[in-house]
Amino acid sequence: MRAEGAVSRKTLLRNRLLAGAAALACAPLPALAQTAPAPAQTTAPAVQTDGLPPDAIYIEADTAGRQGDVISATGEQDRVYARFQGHSLRGRAVTFDIAQGIGTADGEVELVDPDRNTVFASHLELDSDLRAGVAVDFATRTTSGASLMAATAVRRSENVNELNYALFTPCPICDAEGNPKTPSISIQAEKVVQDEELRAILYRNAVFKVGGVPVLWTPFFAHPDPTVDRASGFLIPIFNYDDGRGVSVETPYLNIISASEDWLISPQFNTRVLPFLNLQWRRRFAEGTIVARGGYTYAQNFGDFDMNGDGRAESNVDFGDRTSRSYFLGYGRFDPAGPWRWGFTAERTSDKTLFDRYDVIDPYQDNGLYYGDQRRLISQVYAERQTARSYLSIAAFSIQSLRVAVFNDVTPALNIFESDGTLPVVAPLIDARWEPSGPVLGGRLRLRGSAVSLYRDEYFGSPVLRPEIIPTSATTFGLPGVDSRRVTGQLDWRRSFTSPAGIRYEPFVDGRVDMYSVADLPPVLGLADETITRGRATLGLDVSYPLIRRLSDGADVIVEPLGQISISTDPDLDFRIPVEDAQTLELDESSLFRIDRFPGYDLLEGGIRLTAGVRTTLRWSEGRTASLFVGRSMRDAEQDAFRIPIPDAPNNLYDPSGLAAQTSDWVVQGSFQPSDRIRGWGHATVDGSGDIRRAEMAVDGRWGRRNLATASYIVDRSNPLDGPLNRNYEFVQLAAQQFVAGNWGVAVAGIADLERDLITRSEVGVVFDDDCFRIEVGYRRDNTRVSPTGPSDGVYFRLNLATFGGSGYGSNGLR
């Protein structure tokens, strides 16, 4: 009985002392403690950051006195305020022993160091280094928001602090009114040692609590000090379930080599297939950064496969030979002093579906001067030189494609992928611009230059080759890929005038010369190696007339008619020139008024063109806006060179650009923001018959503090003929988050393929989110046709914790 009573009294003492520490930590910081210290004077290094000489002490108190080397001060109405060596101290009673350099404070003690870290206590003894030697009802709050509290704290040595009956939490411990609250996550321990040399916090008999409820006990635990930006250790594991891999757990371990170098070792363990090892190395140099990621396994392929050849696929089977399977994703960026900077990317994978099968995190990134779009990897080296008046870039790159060329009806494991040999190796690609420092003929002059060489191993027809030179026979096997080289020079001059009535006139002149060398053309019309030159000159005028009208309620309407007329020489679209850099066109408000609306150089426009549009903008209170643009272009003659063969009917042509006819597609573009919580935008091209060729729109909104939703829609109906090679698409994407009870909510996300009447990807889960951590648990389904496993179901688990780190490949900064 006596032992039980001792334990009870011990527990009561611990709880009482921790409650006192929490109450002190929730006390509001005084205004003086929050004021930034005055900057140091460079002419007087001996002056501290608080403006006082090194040995001086500033005290504000109701009563103060000095006996020998001991200064005493008390505060009855207001606490004593003392400032010394960049520190500020408050308490009801404060004493300083100047000879020994020791201070003592009692009653609502608060100590703030130069780094803004704050210590609270009911009793505090400062050592000669002005650090807490002994503290009762100890609590400290770091600038990162983490809190550490203890019944008592003792400084055992220069680098070791020992805390008894302590509690650590990275979460807020005070509510909005400043009252103590139970932290979302905390670690409570019988003894805690803060080792400043190790920069770690060590726990004995630690209990993990979630919402104040104990969930785990361990005799020993350690984690980095909250003031440490990065430290070696395990990050939050990634849990997953997939029909192909089964239950999957990825356990990333971060190994800090130095402040500028680290390794991330992240093995993935699966219940149905062999493990997969992910690695990442990062190194920061004086003038740049290198990041290298890789993964490896030695295993068979797996997925849905027709093992018996009867046209029926068996689900989730291993097939093929066991072999090495890997990927590498690396990049470097270097920006030394001066106008030059350079970099590289190196991206390759052994299997076209490796990223899909092993759920590799974020493999498609934009890390270089040029980037491969979705499901394409690019390896490149580049250099840039940029000044206020000039720009020069030199690059070379090759591409690996992971795109499906032909989908298999039986199983995705038999999909036929785009051949890398049909993609060009580009070396070199040079782009240059230069402007003189002053006006030329009162306007801006810009000179451009460009050069490129492209090499293909395998034959590739439309849309690279023009219909006139594509072989009519079905057999193109064995034909070489077309190689091409181009050099371009261009001059662009324009000047702007504004009339007294507010009309803006902008005349422009453009001149351009191209020279091509093309090799290995198909043996049609007796073509072989060809050298082609062409030129074009353009004279034109842009006109705009913005009109504004103030409305009675403080709103205003701006109507801006826009017009352009241009006269060009014949563009000479020679059918022998491959179309490498102008295969896609996004006709919108900005591109509609360009001299060359196609990207790149291989397609260009000429003749007489008239382009007109009108932009209307409505603005009202508190930044609310809505705008709409409608425009169209007309030319003197059709441009049949812009038409390409229909994939499923190669003898018929269609216009994917909307520019081949004498009248272009209508361009309709708008945006709106009726409040700071709702915004949206949309863009569409509409042909002459009123049918939408392409359209894209999105709306997102927020309500409450954390509820949000976004919806987007995209459609492309440029191909007029249905068939297996038709690449028209129509997608709707939705993502939303709604909290229903406190910090608990639901999250949903999905992508619907309206062309195939199928939901390709979907997720629904439960979310808990507060200021300290976020956890998501839910179900997901993937109906994409790329992964060999085919449609799959799975469970996902995502966790992000303050201070302890998050799951996945984080971006903890290197210095």
Side-chain angles (χ1 to χ4, degrees):
M1 294 295 293
R2 296 174 63 184
E4 292 177 359
V7 172
S8 176
R9 288 193 299 272
K10 185 177 181 181
T11 303
L12 289 173
L13 174 63
R14 176 187 61 192
N15 292 338
R16 180 184 68 79
L17 290 172
L18 286 177
L24 284 171
C26 284
L29 292 176
L32 285 174
Q34 294 298 309
T35 303
Q41 301 295 322
T42 57
T43 56
V47 178
Q48 301 298 311
T49 56
D50 57 7
L52 296 174
D55 297 329
I57 300 174
Y58 173 82
I59 295 178
E60 292 181 9
D62 293 337
T63 60
R66 177 170 179 171
Q67 292 183 352
D69 293 327
V70 178
I71 300 175
S72 301
T74 58
E76 298 178 359
Q77 296 183 350
D78 296 322
R79 288 180 295 170
V80 176
Y81 172 66
R83 195 170 75 240
F84 49 92
Q85 297 187 20
H87 295 68
S88 65
L89 176 68
R90 285 180 177 269
R92 291 297 176 184
V94 175
T95 62
F96 285 98
D97 189 324
I98 298 176
Q100 299 184 19
I102 296 176
T104 303
D106 290 281
E108 303 175 30
V109 181
E110 180 182 315
L111 176 67
V112 182
D113 69 13
D115 294 327
R116 298 287 179 177
N117 298 309
T118 307
V119 171
F120 304 90
S122 60
H123 172 78
L124 180 66
E125 296 180 9
L126 299 176
D127 58 20
S128 58
D129 295 325
L130 298 178
R131 297 184 179 182
V134 177
V136 178
D137 292 336
F138 171 85
T140 180
R141 187 168 63 212
T142 67
T143 53
S144 64
S147 299
L148 181 62
M149 295 168 284
T152 59
V154 180
R155 189 168 185 81
R156 295 297 186 187
S157 66
E158 181 180 356
N159 297 314
V160 176
N161 297 319
E162 183 181 293
L163 297 87
N164 298 299
Y165 304 118
L167 181 145
F168 171 81
T169 177
C171 309
I173 59 173
C174 313
D175 59 20
E177 288 74 30
N179 300 315
K181 74 168 187 177
T182 301
S184 302
I185 298 177
S186 62
I187 307 175
Q188 189 168 320
E190 180 179 315
K191 179 172 290 188
V192 176
V193 176
Q194 184 179 25
D195 193 317
E196 297 179 6
E197 184 175 3
L198 292 177
R199 304 182 76 184
I201 297 180
L202 314 174
Y203 298 81
R204 189 176 73 185
N205 290 331
V207 177
F208 290 79
K209 294 184 177 182
V210 177
V213 179
V215 295
L216 176 66
W217 173 86
T218 178
F220 177 80
F221 179 71
H223 67 79
D225 190 287
T227 60
V228 177
D229 293 332
R230 303 180 310 126
S232 297
F234 285 97
L235 305 182
I236 301 301
I238 305 170
F239 297 93
N240 209 332
Y241 174 80
D242 177 81
D243 285 344
R245 300 191 315 274
V247 176
S248 176
V249 180
E250 191 167 339
T251 55
Y253 179 83
L254 181 64
N255 183 25
I256 305 298
I257 306 300
S258 67
S260 58
E261 183 180 6
D262 63 35
W263 281 87
L264 184 65
I265 305 165
S266 187
Q268 180 189 95
F269 301 98
N270 310 288
T271 57
R272 292 181 179 173
V273 298
L274 293 175
F276 189 87
L277 177 63
N278 293 284
L279 296 172
Q280 176 179 275
W281 173 73
R282 302 187 303 174
R283 174 68 188 269
R284 176 78 178 180
F285 300 90
E287 297 176 340
T289 301
I290 293 180
V291 177
R293 290 176 56 189
Y296 177 83
T297 187
Y298 187 81
Q300 292 178 278
N301 207 338
F302 62 90
D304 298 346
F305 191 71
D306 183 7
M307 302 290 292
N308 301 318
D310 56 3
R312 293 181 299 177
E314 300 180 35
S315 298
N316 300 321
V317 296
D318 294 337
F319 61 91
D321 297 329
R322 181 174 292 186
T323 185
S324 294
R325 305 180 188 276
S326 60
Y327 74 88
F328 182 83
L329 304 172
Y331 69 89
R333 300 192 190 106
F334 293 86
D335 190 2
W340 285 96
R341 56 180 175 266
W342 65 278
F344 68 89
T345 65
E347 302 177 348
R348 283 297 185 267
T349 179
S350 61
D351 296 28
K352 300 283 189 179
T353 59
L354 187 73
F355 296 148
D356 308 283
R357 296 200 311 272
Y358 290 96
D359 200 17
V360 175
I361 297 173
D362 199 15
Y364 308 107
Q365 298 183 9
D366 177 11
N367 291 317
L369 183 62
Y370 298 94
Y371 62 92
D373 49 11
Q374 195 71 0
R375 302 200 65 83
R376 278 180 174 170
L377 304 178
I378 183 169
S379 298
Q380 63 185 303
V381 59
Y382 64 89
E384 293 180 284
R385 185 184 191 277
Q386 185 169 11
T387 66
R389 294 289 177 178
S390 66
Y391 174 81
L392 171 67
S393 67
I394 305 172
F397 60 83
S398 64
I399 298 172
Q400 180 185 19
S401 176
L402 309 183
R403 290 183 174 182
V404 176
V406 179
F407 290 98
N408 187 276
D409 294 332
V410 176
T411 170
L414 297 178
N415 286 341
I416 299 176
F417 286 82
E418 185 178 43
S419 172
D420 297 338
T422 63
L423 300 175
V425 174
V426 181
L429 174 57
I430 303 172
D431 185 28
R433 297 188 297 272
W434 177 80
E435 295 180 16
S437 57
V440 176
L441 300 178
R444 175 193 57 79
L445 175 66
R446 177 174 294 165
L447 303 180
R448 300 174 183 266
S450 175
V452 65
S453 294
L454 301 99
Y455 307 90
R456 271 190 174 85
D457 292 333
E458 300 176 18
Y459 169 83
F460 191 83
S462 176
V464 173
L465 298 183
R466 306 292 181 86
E468 295 88 340
I469 60 174
I470 294 178
T472 56
S473 63
T475 302
T476 57
F477 179 77
L479 291 179
V482 175
D483 301 334
S484 62
R485 290 154 291 278
R486 173 187 52 80
V487 177
T488 296
Q490 188 172 10
L491 176 149
D492 173 26
W493 175 90
R494 61 178 56 229
R495 182 178 180 181
S496 62
F497 303 90
T498 303
S499 72
I503 303 175
R504 182 182 178 89
Y505 300 95
E506 196 167 301
F508 58 87
V509 176
D510 182 88
R512 174 175 153 184
V513 176
D514 300 329
M515 184 172 68
Y516 283 85
S517 174
V518 185
D520 293 329
L521 286 167
V524 178
L525 304 178
L527 299 176
D529 296 350
E530 304 290 328
T531 300
I532 307 134
T533 59
R534 68 183 182 186
R536 185 204 58 191
T538 302
L539 176 66
L541 177 68
D542 285 325
V543 181
S544 62
Y545 187 25
L547 304 169
I548 184 169
R549 180 175 181 179
R550 304 288 184 183
L551 303 180
S552 58
D553 58 356
D556 57 57
V557 177
I558 302 173
V559 179
E560 185 177 7
L562 305 166
Q564 181 190 87
I565 184 170
S566 63
I567 303 173
S568 302
T569 58
D570 185 357
D572 188 18
L573 296 173
D574 195 298
F575 62 84
R576 295 171 295 175
I577 298 176
V579 180
E580 299 280 6
D581 59 8
Q583 297 176 15
T584 59
L585 168 66
E586 189 69 33
L587 193 60
D588 56 17
E589 179 182 355
S590 60
S591 64
L592 185 65
F593 290 90
R594 292 176 186 162
I595 298 175
D596 290 309
R597 287 172 281 204
F598 286 93
Y601 293 88
D602 294 336
L603 287 178
L604 72 166
E605 299 181 75
I608 301 174
R609 292 183 293 166
L610 175 64
T611 306
V614 61
R615 182 192 302 119
T616 303
T617 304
L618 173 64
R619 303 182 302 188
W620 66 102
S621 62
E622 298 179 359
R624 293 170 168 84
T625 63
S627 67
L628 177 66
F629 170 84
V630 179
R632 196 180 196 184
S633 181
M634 292 157 280
R635 68 172 69 249
D636 61 335
E638 293 188 358
Q639 289 285 2
D640 291 333
F642 296 166
R643 294 184 170 93
I644 63 174
I646 298 175
D648 291 290
N651 293 327
N652 299 322
L653 304 180
Y654 79 107
D655 175 22
S657 66
L659 292 175
Q662 285 186 272
T663 55
S664 75
D665 286 351
W666 287 98
V667 175
V668 181
Q669 189 167 327
S671 65
F672 64 92
Q673 187 171 347
S675 74
D676 60 349
R677 292 179 171 269
I678 301 175
R679 62 181 179 178
W681 61 272
H683 161 257
T685 54
V686 183
D687 63 21
S689 61
D691 295 328
I692 293 177
R693 189 185 303 269
R694 292 186 183 90
E696 186 175 3
M697 59 191 68
V699 178
D700 62 70
R702 294 177 176 269
W703 60 98
R705 188 167 68 93
R706 293 170 296 177
N707 303 317
L708 55 91
T710 179
S712 62
Y713 171 80
I714 185 170
V715 62
D716 186 334
R717 299 203 176 281
S718 56
N719 190 335
L721 183 64
D722 290 334
L725 300 180
N726 188 306
R727 290 294 183 261
N728 288 349
Y729 55 81
E730 187 175 9
F731 290 99
V732 172
Q733 185 169 352
L734 172 68
Q737 174 179 281
Q738 172 68 53
F739 285 85
V740 294
N743 294 320
W744 291 93
V746 294
V748 296
I751 303 175
D753 186 342
L754 304 184
E755 191 76 19
R756 295 193 294 145
D757 194 22
L758 177 70
I759 298 178
T760 57
R761 291 179 180 176
S762 58
E763 289 185 359
V764 58
V766 178
V767 178
F768 179 87
D769 189 2
D770 66 1
D771 296 328
C772 186
F773 78 106
R774 177 185 176 93
I775 183 172
E776 286 185 65
V777 179
Y779 162 84
R780 68 180 180 186
R781 179 168 177 80
D782 189 336
N783 285 319
T784 56
R785 297 184 292 172
V786 177
S787 175
T789 57
S792 63
D793 299 271
V795 176
Y796 66 87
F797 176 85
R798 303 183 185 121
L799 178 64
N800 285 286
L801 300 176
T803 298
F804 300 122
S807 59
Y809 292 88
S811 57
N812 296 323
L814 298 173
R815 293 194 296 272

